[in-house]
Amino acid sequence: MASERQIFVGDVPIGGGAPVAVQTMTKTETADLAATMAQIHRVAQAGADIVRVAVPREKDAEALQAIVRESPIPVIADIHFNYTLALKALDAGAHCVRLNPGNIGGPDKVALVAKRANELGTPLRIGVNSGSLPAHLRELEFENPVEALVTAAVEFVELMESLDFTNFKVSMKSTSVPNTIASNRMLSARIPYPLHLGVTEAGTKWSGSLKSAVGLGTLLADGIGDTIRISLSTFHAEEEVKVAWEILKALKLRQRGPVLIACPTCGRLQFDMDSVVAEVERRLEQYEDPIEVSVLGCAVNGIGEARHADFGITGAKDMGMIYSHGEPLKKVPTERLVDELFAEIDRYYAAGKRVVRDEAQAAEARAWLAENEDETAMTPERMAAMEAAQADLEADSSPLRLDEAVSPVAGRRFTRTG
Ligand code: SF4
């Protein structure tokens, strides 16, 4: 379930059923205005809705005013330990300030920040980290780290409420994926405020993306989480944004840019699909429309599961074919497959999103497909289709039924209906 409450970070709604917002954090020295602004423009271009900047020193707080003024997306100031920096960030016009009420100098300092934020109408993000829980929860942390994390978050929520401050979102960060999932599930049931999700120090682009996809994906599929950040060990913050979007797109929570589908390849592959897929992916980044493009490693299946794709290619040793919505468009030499694919896509946009088909070329492509298709081959796709058909058959005769209405956001759950 989405959070009950909604807040606004700048003009971006968070929670209360708003689309899950994508955020990232700059990796530059914040006070280096040119470098910070260049990175903010890159992450905004990649699709970040919100950007966070670290404010560990006076000079970073001083740079904030210009950053907020020049940034195309709302800016969150990330503060630790120093409440005066939080006050300065608020006065500099930050659209939100992130702080950990446990390390900012005590409840009276939190009260000063909350008072100023209230006067300015600026939201706060209050966060707890598994590595820095209050002393009285250390023993509980040892016995039950999830309960300790949630208890700390609830205590901070109660502190903010006691200060008459409710314009906030909450985050609980853990390096453990299971603890991230369990604690956010528990907290979402206990508080009405928006949740920011992330797996802290997730790792490199490869392992960090996977950990985040598993941790955040599990929660998002259940409708938990209102804004996300993927933490990756890279200086290129836009990579974090791209991963966040892939997670949201995979769950069909948001749409942005094209969707690339590619077969996993197998022994039937007859051309260098690795480099073809990489090239297609790279060139698709220039398009904003959510068209679906498919790459199949062979034509043995026919167009099969790529039937719904707006455009696709399939290849053999010397020749390949371009298709659209299951219908062949033209046959082309393998080395020109990618260029011709993009020529067709551009023609489609130039014609006002209409597929332009040359009947003679399409007939030639159909004949090529008929020659290369093999209806008897047991390909991975056909085996998967057979398994799915078998599962459907079994589901029909079982009291367990697939009920998509149970999780309208994204999930598909099995419920007992009989
Ligand atoms: S059989 Fe399927 S997985 Fe194998 S290359 Fe052809 S399309 Fe790809």
Side-chain angles (χ1 to χ4, degrees):
M1 71 266 37
S3 72
E4 220 173 287
R5 302 276 179 103
Q6 185 172 77
I7 65 167
F8 276 81
V9 174
D11 58 357
V12 178
I14 310 283
V20 177
V22 171
Q23 61 175 280
T24 186
M25 198 164 171
T26 51
K27 321 265 181 166
T28 55
E29 191 184 333
T30 302
D32 182 344
L33 193 59
T36 301
M37 286 318 303
Q39 192 159 69
I40 290 179
H41 281 289
R42 279 199 300 276
V43 302
Q45 179 76 29
D49 299 304
I50 299 168
V51 67
R52 184 153 45 110
V53 299
V55 183
R57 298 156 307 184
E58 292 287 332
K59 62 177 180 177
D60 300 311
E62 282 157 20
L64 258 182
Q65 210 168 354
I67 293 171
V68 169
R69 190 177 59 238
E70 291 175 25
S71 172
I73 51 177
V75 178
I76 302 179
D78 192 273
I79 311 280
H80 282 283
F81 310 116
N82 188 334
Y83 83 100
T84 57
L85 286 177
L87 294 173
K88 284 183 180 165
L90 286 167
D91 288 336
H95 298 99
C96 177
V97 170
R98 180 260 177 125
L99 53 84
N100 177 344
N103 72 18
I104 207 81
D108 51 331
K109 302 291 191 293
V110 178
L112 289 173
V113 178
K115 181 171 176 290
R116 190 74 189 119
N118 238 347
E119 286 162 2
L120 294 166
T122 306
L124 299 178
R125 169 183 146 195
I126 57 170
V128 290
N129 280 350
S130 56
S132 58
L133 291 180
H136 71 281
L137 292 174
R138 297 272 157 75
E139 207 170 315
L140 179 59
E141 186 182 14
F142 188 69
E143 289 162 16
N144 187 338
V146 169
E147 186 65 41
L149 208 54
V150 174
T151 303
V154 170
E155 286 178 0
F156 288 148
V157 166
E158 287 168 353
L159 169 65
M160 301 316 282
E161 286 174 338
S162 75
L163 298 169
D164 278 334
F165 189 85
T166 54
N167 187 14
F168 62 85
K169 55 184 170 148
V170 183
S171 68
M172 289 179 303
K173 292 292 192 75
S174 166
T175 50
S176 152
V177 171
N179 289 358
T180 300
I181 296 171
S183 58
N184 278 287
R185 277 183 173 154
M186 207 183 270
L187 187 65
S188 72
R190 290 198 196 169
I191 64 166
Y193 301 99
L195 292 183
H196 168 93
L197 303 183
V199 176
T200 197
E201 295 156 20
T204 60
K205 192 173 162 191
W206 170 244
S207 62
S209 298
L210 282 169
K211 275 195 210 170
S212 301
V214 172
L216 275 51
T218 302
L219 290 162
L220 291 167
D222 278 346
I224 297 170
D226 305 287
T227 168
I228 60 171
R229 187 239 170 149
I230 311 298
S231 302
L232 299 179
S233 293
T234 165
F235 287 120
H236 305 286
E238 57 274 22
E239 297 297 327
E240 296 186 351
V241 177
K242 288 184 199 164
V243 175
W245 272 102
E246 286 306 318
I247 294 172
L248 296 179
K249 279 159 66 174
L251 288 166
K252 302 218 181 296
L253 287 173
R254 290 184 72 182
Q255 277 194 338
R256 180 188 161 87
V259 176
L260 174 63
I261 302 159
C263 85
T265 81
C266 71
R268 295 171 185 85
L269 181 71
Q270 289 184 322
F271 68 105
D272 175 14
M273 190 158 138
D274 253 18
S275 32
V276 165
V277 173
E279 176 68 3
V280 171
E281 187 174 45
R282 189 186 64 75
R283 286 169 68 164
L284 280 175
E285 284 182 8
Q286 312 307 315
Y287 295 77
E288 284 181 6
D289 209 35
I291 48 164
E292 199 168 292
V293 175
S294 149
V295 182
L296 296 177
C298 76
V300 170
N301 273 316
I303 295 168
E305 295 205 341
R307 204 164 288 284
H308 50 281
D310 295 295
F311 287 95
I313 52 178
T314 177
K317 241 188 206 88
D318 307 316
M319 281 291 170
M321 184 190 74
I322 299 173
Y323 52 86
S324 171
H325 293 291
E327 280 301 314
L329 278 182
K330 62 157 80 151
K331 170 182 126 177
V332 292
T334 309
E335 70 272 13
R336 292 220 328 266
L337 257 181
V338 178
D339 284 345
E340 293 288 340
L341 166 70
F342 281 92
E344 289 300 329
I345 292 174
D346 290 343
R347 198 165 294 135
Y348 164 80
Y349 285 115
K353 291 201 184 184
R354 193 174 55 81
V355 178
V356 184
R357 194 182 302 274
D358 176 315
E359 275 316 318
Q361 287 184 331
E364 206 185 19
R366 250 179 244 120
W368 179 87
L369 182 63
E371 269 169 40
N372 286 277
E373 203 171 357
D374 176 359
E375 279 167 17
T376 63
M378 286 311 296
T379 62
E381 290 79 6
R382 288 196 178 114
M383 288 197 277
M386 285 166 68
E387 278 168 17
Q390 181 63 28
D392 278 354
L393 246 157
E394 283 164 17
D396 276 349
S397 56
S398 152
L400 286 173
R401 282 272 179 75
L402 181 65
D403 182 359
E404 296 193 28
V406 168
S407 182
V409 182
R412 304 174 104 214
R413 294 181 190 162
F414 286 92
T415 51
R416 194 169 287 279
T417 56

